[in-house]
Amino acid sequence: MGFVGSVMVTLWGWGSPQGGVPTHVRPVGVAVAVSGIAGLIAIIIAWLRSRKLVGRRVLTLVVWSLPLLFSPPLLSQDGWAYAAQGWILTQGMDPYRVPQGLAEVLGKAVDTPWQATTAVYPPGSLWIQAAVVKIAHADPTWSVMLMRVPALIGVALMVWAVPRLARYAGTDPDHALWLAVCCPLTTLSVVGGMHNDGLQVGLSLVALVVAIRLALIGRGWLGLVLGGAFVGLAGSVKQPGVLAGVGIVALVHVNAVRHGGRRWLTRNCWTALLARIAAGAIPALTVFGGISAIHGLGMGWLNSTAGSPVSVTSDSPIALVVQFLRGSGGIPLNRLIGPATGVSLTLTVAAMMWCWVRWGPIPPCHIRLGRIASRSRNAVNVVTGRIGSPLRLQAGVMIVFAAFGASLQPWYLIGPLALLASVQLRRTHRDAVIGGVVATAILTMMQWYWSPYVCLPLVIVGYLIVWRIPKAWAFVTAAN
C-alpha cells in the first residue's frame, strides 16, 4: 500500500508542478489532485499499519521511497532554488549577490517570492548544489533531480544515527526508526521534496552519536572535537545544524560526571562545563569558518538582498502576525522585518535558556545570602546541582527554535522528531507525537493548495476532534 501511495503521489507531482488552486478546473486536474490525496492517505495508513513490522524498517523505507526518486520536487519548489543557486556558482558568480531568478531556465522555476532574492543558505549548501549542477552538466532537469542525492545521504545518516541515540536513551531503536525516519513527513519532505534539512539533520545526529560513543569509552574530549566538527559541517549546510552543539556538550559533560572521579574535569562544576563548551565550539567554528572562506563567500547569507523568512506566509506564529499586519494594517514589509526578527531572536534565546534550566546540566552554586535574609553575615545557601537529560535538552532546543523562528515549514520538524523518537516518553506524549506526524503530513499537502491561514486552523480543529474520539485516536496513533 505504501508503494502504491508513493506512485500516486509521484504522478500527482508531475501533474501539479505549481502550488495554489488552478484558475481553471479541468477533469485532468481533478484526477491529479485526487491521485495525490489518495496517495497521501495510502502512505499514512501503510505507515500506521507497519508499526508492528519489527526488523523491516530499512526495507520498507527503500520500497516506499523508490517511486519518489522519479518525482519532481514534491510539496515545495525549493529543489529548483537549490539548482538555481548551484548554477549561479558554477558560472563563477556569487549566489549571495546574484538573484536566483537570473539563473536562466532554472531561475524561472524558482518560487515567485524568492526569484528577486539572493541565497539564504550557508556556503556548504551552495558548494553541494554547485557540485550537483556540475555533475548534471547544467542540464535543468537533471540538475534538479540529482538534488535528491544529498537528501538521500541525509536519510542514510538518520537511519544510522537514530537507533543508536535510542539505545543510548534506553528506548526501542526499531520504534524510533519507524517514527522518525520511515514516517510520511520524512519520506515525502526529504526524499520527495529533496530539502537540505535532511542532510543537515543527518549530520547533526551523527555529531551527537560520535560524541556519545567517544564519551562512553573515556575519550570525551575527542568526542567534543569530532562532534564539534560535525556540528560545523551541519551548520554549513543549514543554520539550525549548529544547535547540535548544545547536545554534544551536555552529553560529554553528563557522561564525565557519571563515570568520572574526583578531578575537576570529571565533576559537575562550572569550569569543567565551560571548558567543554570551548572544546566543542572551537572545531565547530573552525569547520564552519573554513567552508565559508572558500572562494570568499563568507557570511553572504546575511546580506540584505537575501530573502527574509518573515516576508512570506509560513506556519510560524511570528510570520503569520507579520503577514496579517501587512495585509490588514497596511504596514510596509520593510518596517516589520526588523522588529519581527528581534522578537523571534529574543523569544528563541529565552526559550533555549529555559530548556537548559529544565533539562541541562547545572553545577551546584554557592550563593551568599544578605544579612537581613540570613540573619548572619557568613551564611551561604548551597543550590544543589544536577546533570540533567541531554537528549531531552537537545529536543527542547530544536523545538523552541522551530516554534519561535521567523519561519516554520513542516519539514523543519524532522530534526525535533528524530530526538523525540529517541527519548523516553509517556504513552500519551508518544501518541501525541504520532498524531502530530499524521497531521503535519496532511498539512504539508493542504498547503500546496491553500494558505496556512486556512490550513492550520482546519488541521488543528481536525486533530482535536480526532483526539476526542477514542476509536479514531487509536487508529491515528497506530494503537490497534
Side-chain angles (χ1 to χ4, degrees):
M1 180 182 288
F3 178 83
V4 173
S6 294
V7 171
M8 298 175 72
V9 170
T10 297
L11 294 175
W12 168 82
W14 285 111
S16 182
Q18 300 291 331
V21 177
T23 305
H24 302 288
V25 179
R26 296 182 175 87
V28 174
V30 173
V32 168
V34 170
S35 172
I37 295 170
L40 176 64
I41 293 173
I43 292 173
I44 291 174
I45 294 175
W47 175 65
L48 293 173
R49 293 179 61 183
S50 71
R51 182 176 179 180
K52 298 179 180 179
L53 297 178
V54 178
R56 301 181 182 177
R57 301 302 175 201
V58 176
L59 176 62
T60 302
L61 177 64
V62 170
V63 172
W64 291 357
S65 299
L66 278 176
L68 302 177
L69 299 180
F70 304 97
S71 72
L74 291 177
L75 303 170
S76 166
Q77 292 176 255
D78 282 3
W80 294 99
Y82 299 163
Q85 293 163 13
W87 183 90
I88 291 172
L89 190 54
T90 60
Q91 299 303 306
M93 296 181 287
D94 189 346
Y96 294 138
R97 297 181 181 276
V98 179
Q100 302 170 60
L102 298 182
E104 296 187 350
V105 177
L106 292 169
K108 296 177 182 178
V110 175
D111 205 4
T112 303
W114 308 115
Q115 288 189 358
T117 66
T118 55
V120 297
Y121 301 114
S125 255
L126 300 184
W127 287 116
I128 292 172
Q129 294 157 8
V132 171
V133 173
K134 196 75 172 177
I135 293 171
H137 300 288
D139 178 82
T141 301
W142 281 109
S143 293
V144 174
M145 296 295 285
L146 290 179
M147 287 295 161
R148 190 165 277 121
V149 174
L152 292 175
I153 295 173
V155 173
L157 294 176
M158 292 172 66
V159 169
W160 179 83
V162 167
R164 286 164 173 79
L165 291 175
R167 291 190 189 96
Y168 172 80
T171 58
D172 181 4
D174 186 83
H175 180 269
L177 198 58
W178 171 80
L179 178 56
V181 188
C182 300
C183 69
L185 178 59
T186 301
T187 54
L188 291 177
S189 296
V190 179
V191 180
M194 57 185 74
H195 290 287
N196 57 6
D197 299 74
L199 183 57
Q200 173 253 305
V201 170
L203 291 170
S204 299
L205 297 180
V206 169
L208 296 172
V209 173
V210 167
I212 290 171
R213 288 201 158 189
L214 289 172
L216 289 176
I217 62 174
R219 306 186 72 181
W221 293 103
L222 180 60
L224 288 170
V225 172
L226 293 182
F230 274 106
V231 168
L233 192 59
S236 74
V237 173
K238 196 168 184 179
Q239 293 87 340
V242 301
L243 297 177
V246 176
I248 67 168
V249 170
L251 285 164
V252 173
H253 183 80
V254 166
N255 184 77
V257 173
R258 283 176 177 170
H259 303 98
R262 295 178 175 272
R263 295 178 302 165
W264 70 270
L265 286 175
T266 57
R267 288 189 286 113
N268 188 22
C269 61
W270 287 107
T271 52
L273 181 58
L274 292 175
R276 291 188 176 95
I277 292 174
I282 291 173
L285 292 174
T286 301
V287 171
F288 186 89
I291 295 175
S292 298
I294 299 174
H295 202 60
L297 291 177
M299 306 286 282
W301 45 276
L302 293 173
N303 290 347
S304 59
T305 55
S308 173
V310 297
S311 63
V312 296
T313 307
S314 70
D315 298 314
S316 164
I318 292 175
L320 290 172
V321 171
V322 166
Q323 295 302 320
F324 176 79
L325 294 175
R326 181 186 181 187
S328 62
I331 304 175
L333 179 63
N334 57 1
R335 292 179 56 187
L336 294 170
I337 290 177
T341 303
V343 170
S344 171
L345 182 61
T346 301
L347 291 175
T348 302
V349 171
M352 286 183 178
M353 292 175 63
W354 180 87
C355 288
W356 189 283
V357 172
R358 179 69 177 82
W359 295 295
I362 303 292
C365 302
H366 295 75
I367 303 176
R368 188 172 296 279
L369 300 177
R371 183 175 182 180
I372 297 177
S374 64
R375 299 181 182 277
S376 172
R377 288 185 180 179
N378 299 321
V380 173
N381 182 35
V382 179
V383 178
T384 304
R386 56 175 172 74
I387 57 177
S389 177
L391 290 184
R392 289 179 183 273
L393 168 64
Q394 184 66 56
V397 165
M398 297 175 78
I399 289 170
V400 300
F401 183 86
F404 296 120
S407 177
L408 174 60
Q409 301 293 350
W411 46 90
Y412 293 5
L413 301 176
I414 294 174
L417 176 62
L419 270 297
L420 289 175
S422 303
V423 300
Q424 292 279 2
L425 293 176
R426 297 177 183 176
R427 180 175 178 178
T428 53
H429 295 167
R430 180 200 62 203
D431 289 347
V433 172
I434 297 173
V437 170
V438 173
T440 306
I442 294 172
L443 177 67
T444 307
M445 173 71 79
M446 291 178 64
Q447 288 184 161
W448 184 252
Y449 292 105
W450 299 289
S451 163
Y453 286 111
V454 176
C455 302
L456 269 176
L458 290 176
V459 170
I460 292 172
V461 170
Y463 183 95
L464 295 175
I465 291 174
V466 171
W467 174 60
R468 299 295 296 176
I469 302 175
K471 289 186 177 180
W473 185 244
F475 175 79
V476 168
T477 58
N480 291 333

